[in-house]
Amino acid sequence: MKSIKKESVAFVLFLSFCFCQLQAQVTSQQIDSIVNYAMSKFNVAGCAVAVVKDGKILHEKGYGIKSIKTNEPVNEHTNFAIASNSKAFTTVALALLVEEGKLNWDDKVKMHIPEFTMYNDYVEENFNIIDLVTHRSGLGLGVGDLMFFPQGSDFTIDDLLSSFQHFKQESAFRTKWDYDNLLYLVAGELIARKSGMTWEAFIETRIFEPLGMENSYASLASIQDSSNLSASHSTETGEMRIIPTFEEMINGAAGGIFSNVNDLSQWMLLHLNKGKYGNNLNSQLFTTSNHYEMWKIHTVMDVNRNPRYNSHFAGYGLGWNLTDVNGNMQVSHTGGLPGMLSRTLLIPDMNLGIVILTNTSNDGGGLFSAVSQTILDMYLEMDDFQWIDKYSAYLASRQSGDDAATQKVWETVANMDQKAVKREKYIGVYEDVWFGKIEVFEKDNQLWIKCHRSPLLNGPLKHYKDETFAIKWEYQDMNADAFAMFEIGENGKAEAFTMKGISPNIDFSFDFQDLDLKRID
């Protein structure tokens, strides 16, 4: 019996060795070819790509240019805003504080931040730390993001902590996934209070420094030398142009990090090695148990039923999207800010990691999706699905549909007699309980609107139909133009108004639909 067992074990080890040898071998040259083809199909100024495999960096390279103004090339050290890929850094920071005994995952938020509020007493008293970072609060998609989208508003952490009591509950607590940025900012405040340093300082000293991520920064303000910082680009108004680099406000826990593919290779290797890093993996940043906690489904999501990948589950961990592709676990996240889009994708069963950073809105998302899926399919030994061509065609079709819908609105506006509008009906100051005051006034012989706490949101009001007006914001870094729908009182004046985006594909962070504005003057 002992002899048989030894032979069986030897045979299993032999099969495992053979399986490893038979895994698809993707070369750096093949990746290079894929990315170059994608750059020819998508309207993107520049990008950077890194692939790690079996504990080593297989590929890291920049493509295109950092800026259409300088035409300087992107390289593997060029920094991009990684946006919501920062969220996983925030959850690692929480894990480190858990391991130090400064908090527990199931601690109630009010234990550490007494002024934290929620939309009802039960949720407020039972809201725990995991609830902060798993998008299961019961609030709607992107609720409250207007506090810091676009940048330049004056909202503080105190405003944020008191705002949740005013938001409308959209689903039962802990039953539905709805992406949320504001609660990550609360997590950033929690890290600051328990560590005695800012979120930014904690990320840089406790994560970047040990991993040797020497050219990564937790905020735009931390970057002393911006010579290898990519510019942000937008094609929202037609031709590609440079737009201001988005700077996080309050803290960067939801999306404030700037990094590069050389440094992010170390970040991917850390997670693929379950928290271990360094020569011979002799150092450990976080424990295996916390690694499992971060890669455990906390919020169930709808699974992608595309038969191509035969996926059976989908959910959100702690700063990561989790699913399975052809029998392999997939851990991923995307990030998006004006002019910067990114994706990180890990296949731990194959010891594979892919990160793609781009510097152009719209097509950047098509590029990172198409390139990452093409590389993944090669490792899965699947047929060539022509992801690059398909995503390119899809984006063109969606843009065409979006353009047609918005153009129709502005054509209607152009055909209206704007001089016939009784402006005095609408002029006044209106207020929303969490967003503050919005004023309608007369400027340049037309109606104008401005948000007192978010100065980039201002522009002319144009009559669309009935009591609805279309707003062309002066802010055009992203497509955020909106409708304002007024309610007229018995005295013939507007008493209130609500808003919604004009574009069918408006970014969810422009949550105009969450405003309920009442006249106060």
Side-chain angles (χ1 to χ4, degrees):
M1 292 292 291
K2 290 181 180 180
S3 175
I4 294 174
K5 284 184 178 180
K6 288 180 180 178
E7 291 174 359
S8 299
V9 170
F11 183 64
V12 169
L13 291 173
F14 173 74
L15 288 178
S16 298
F17 172 79
C18 290
F19 175 74
C20 290
Q21 297 302 307
L22 290 172
Q23 275 192 1
Q25 298 298 310
V26 179
T27 67
S28 180
Q29 290 75 18
Q30 288 174 306
I31 297 168
D32 206 36
S33 178
I34 291 166
V35 182
N36 281 321
Y37 180 63
M39 288 291 290
S40 74
K41 298 290 288 186
F42 294 99
N43 190 17
V44 173
C47 75
V49 178
V51 177
V52 298
K53 183 73 171 73
D54 298 329
K56 298 179 180 179
I57 298 174
L58 171 66
H59 180 89
E60 57 178 23
K61 186 176 178 181
Y63 301 83
I65 55 177
K66 295 185 290 188
S67 165
I68 58 173
K69 182 178 181 180
T70 66
N71 286 320
E72 293 177 345
V74 174
N75 61 39
E76 69 272 23
H77 299 291
T78 300
N79 277 320
F80 297 73
I82 69 170
S84 286
N85 276 296
S86 304
K87 288 181 168 66
F89 286 84
T90 296
T91 59
V92 165
L94 289 170
L96 297 181
L97 293 174
V98 168
E99 291 172 11
E100 291 173 3
K102 293 183 177 179
L103 51 82
N104 295 302
W105 288 116
D106 58 358
D107 281 354
K108 305 301 186 288
V109 175
K110 286 185 76 70
M111 288 176 54
H112 305 289
I113 306 179
E115 63 269 43
F116 176 73
T117 65
M118 261 293 156
Y119 49 80
N120 68 43
D121 291 342
Y122 174 81
V123 175
E124 184 175 308
E125 294 300 324
N126 288 279
F127 211 88
N128 65 30
I129 291 171
I130 286 180
D131 294 323
L132 289 175
V133 293
T134 49
H135 310 298
R136 63 186 190 183
S137 66
L139 297 172
L141 174 66
V143 68
D145 278 2
L146 278 175
M147 286 188 181
F148 63 94
F149 254 85
Q151 61 184 332
S153 67
D154 65 357
F155 291 94
T156 66
I157 187 62
D158 292 333
D159 294 322
L160 184 68
L161 293 171
S162 65
S163 68
F164 298 100
Q165 62 187 305
H166 302 302
F167 296 139
K168 180 182 177 182
Q169 183 179 5
E170 296 288 343
S171 60
F173 181 40
R174 294 178 182 158
T175 63
K176 184 174 180 290
W177 182 89
D178 270 309
Y179 199 77
D180 189 294
N181 286 305
L182 296 193
L183 290 167
Y184 264 85
L185 300 184
V186 178
E189 175 66 10
L190 176 65
I191 291 165
R193 294 192 186 190
K194 303 309 292 185
S195 68
M197 64 180 81
T198 64
W199 174 89
E200 289 78 8
F202 192 96
I203 297 299
E204 291 182 357
T205 60
R206 298 294 304 279
I207 299 177
F208 290 169
E209 287 184 15
L211 295 181
M213 297 176 66
E214 297 177 352
N215 296 308
S216 294
Y217 305 90
S219 70
L220 184 61
S222 299
I223 303 176
Q224 300 298 314
D225 180 3
S226 60
S227 60
N228 206 4
L229 172 65
S230 174
S232 301
H233 300 81
S234 173
T235 58
E236 293 283 1
T237 58
E239 292 186 4
M240 186 181 295
R241 60 194 175 91
I242 294 175
I243 61 175
T245 300
F246 189 90
E247 185 170 5
E248 287 285 344
M249 291 163 283
I250 300 177
N251 63 59
I257 290 174
F258 289 78
S259 190
N260 55 82
V261 295
N262 178 261
D263 282 356
L264 290 171
S265 292
Q266 302 307 315
W267 174 246
M268 292 192 293
L269 290 170
L270 171 78
H271 286 278
L272 290 170
N273 290 316
K274 300 181 175 64
K276 294 180 179 180
Y277 67 98
N279 295 330
N280 301 315
L281 302 180
N282 53 8
S283 298
Q284 187 132 14
L285 189 67
F286 51 82
T287 63
T288 302
S289 62
N290 268 319
H291 163 75
Y292 290 140
E293 192 71 34
M294 288 182 275
W295 284 8
K296 179 175 74 177
I297 288 180
H298 293 274
T299 307
V300 176
M301 300 164 62
D302 291 335
V303 67
N304 184 348
R305 294 298 179 184
N306 183 342
R308 178 171 180 81
Y309 294 110
N310 193 30
S311 299
H312 299 88
F313 66 85
Y316 199 83
L318 304 183
W320 294 101
N321 292 297
L322 309 169
T323 189
D324 63 314
V325 289
N326 287 1
N328 299 279
M329 185 176 178
Q330 175 178 293
V331 182
S332 66
H333 213 284
T334 58
L337 285 171
M340 295 280 184
L341 298 165
S342 59
R343 188 185 192 198
T344 306
L345 186 153
L346 306 173
I347 308 293
D349 297 332
M350 304 179 74
N351 208 0
L352 169 68
I354 304 166
V355 64
I356 302 174
L357 310 176
T358 71
N359 63 7
T360 311
S361 293
N362 296 338
D363 277 23
L367 185 144
F368 75 54
S369 298
V371 170
S372 58
Q373 289 305 123
T374 301
I375 296 172
L376 173 60
D377 284 1
M378 292 175 70
Y379 277 106
L380 293 173
E381 298 185 287
M382 301 180 71
D383 62 295
D384 181 4
F385 198 62
Q386 299 181 330
W387 282 112
I388 295 171
D389 292 334
K390 285 182 168 65
Y391 268 106
S392 177
Y394 166 72
L395 283 181
S397 175
R398 190 180 76 164
Q399 186 64 48
S400 177
D402 191 7
D403 290 346
T406 55
Q407 183 179 352
K408 187 175 181 180
V409 169
W410 293 111
E411 286 176 353
T412 300
V413 167
N415 291 326
M416 296 297 292
D417 182 3
Q418 301 296 327
K419 294 181 180 179
V421 175
K422 296 180 178 180
R423 300 170 195 160
E424 64 276 6
K425 288 172 58 177
Y426 310 99
I427 291 173
V429 179
Y430 305 78
E431 188 171 32
D432 174 83
V433 288
W434 61 268
F435 189 62
K437 296 175 183 177
I438 295 182
E439 185 175 354
V440 176
F441 59 102
E442 197 168 12
K443 176 182 176 181
D444 299 330
N445 205 31
Q446 64 179 326
L447 283 178
W448 202 270
I449 189 170
K450 68 177 180 180
C451 302
H452 283 201
R453 303 199 67 177
S454 186
L456 291 181
L457 290 180
N458 73 94
L461 274 173
K462 299 288 188 178
H463 190 216
Y464 173 61
K465 60 176 63 173
D466 301 324
E467 302 300 337
T468 298
F469 290 75
I471 308 168
K472 174 67 71 173
W473 301 116
E474 289 194 335
Y475 171 82
Q476 290 293 311
D477 291 355
M478 297 181 74
N479 187 353
D481 293 342
F483 287 120
M485 298 156 286
F486 290 87
E487 297 176 16
I488 307 301
E490 293 181 358
N491 63 358
K493 286 193 171 185
E495 294 182 340
F497 72 95
T498 55
M499 300 175 70
K500 69 176 183 178
I502 292 175
S503 168
N505 292 313
I506 189 171
D507 190 280
F508 67 79
S509 285
F510 294 103
D511 61 316
F512 297 112
Q513 70 279 357
D514 293 323
L515 299 177
D516 185 14
L517 292 142
K518 306 292 186 184
R519 182 186 285 273
I520 62 170
D521 63 341

